[in-house]
Amino acid sequence: AVNYGLRVDLVGVHIVYNATLGFNETAEVNRTSWTWINATVADGANWTQPYAFSIAYAGLWKIQFLLYKDGVLTDQELHLYVEVT
């Protein structure tokens, strides 16, 4: 079995033009850690859990899911961009 942690962050972002590279990029404006979820997963098993959220302020947001394995941040990351109007 492996101990996993999942940190969910809400990140405020702005789109900025990078003139050197010639394309738009996102720039982080602020970050709030929303949730920590811990799960122990047996060898060969799967784990799923629904995650519901709401954002109270208008703007462009990134919801970022960061995976930890045995307390160490891995390179596994998932993010979702949401625009609240």
Side-chain angles (χ1 to χ4, degrees), residues 12-62:
V13 295
H14 285 186
I15 297 176
V16 294
Y17 181 73
N18 184 326
T20 303
L21 299 175
F23 57 81
N24 290 332
E25 296 179 318
T26 56
E28 183 174 321
V29 179
N30 56 51
R31 175 181 294 267
T32 301
S33 286
W34 252 352
T35 307
W36 270 96
I37 301 168
N38 295 303
T40 301
V41 182
D43 187 32
N46 294 314
W47 173 81
T48 61
Q49 178 175 329
Y51 186 79
F53 64 90
S54 65
I55 301 171
Y57 300 103
L60 183 60
W61 301 93
K62 177 170 71 169

Side-chain angles (χ1 to χ4, degrees), residues 52-73:
F53 64 90
S54 65
I55 301 171
Y57 300 103
L60 183 60
W61 301 93
K62 177 170 71 169
I63 299 152
Q64 186 175 40
F65 299 86
L66 300 163
L67 182 66
Y68 289 73
K69 181 178 178 182
D70 292 323
V72 178
L73 181 62

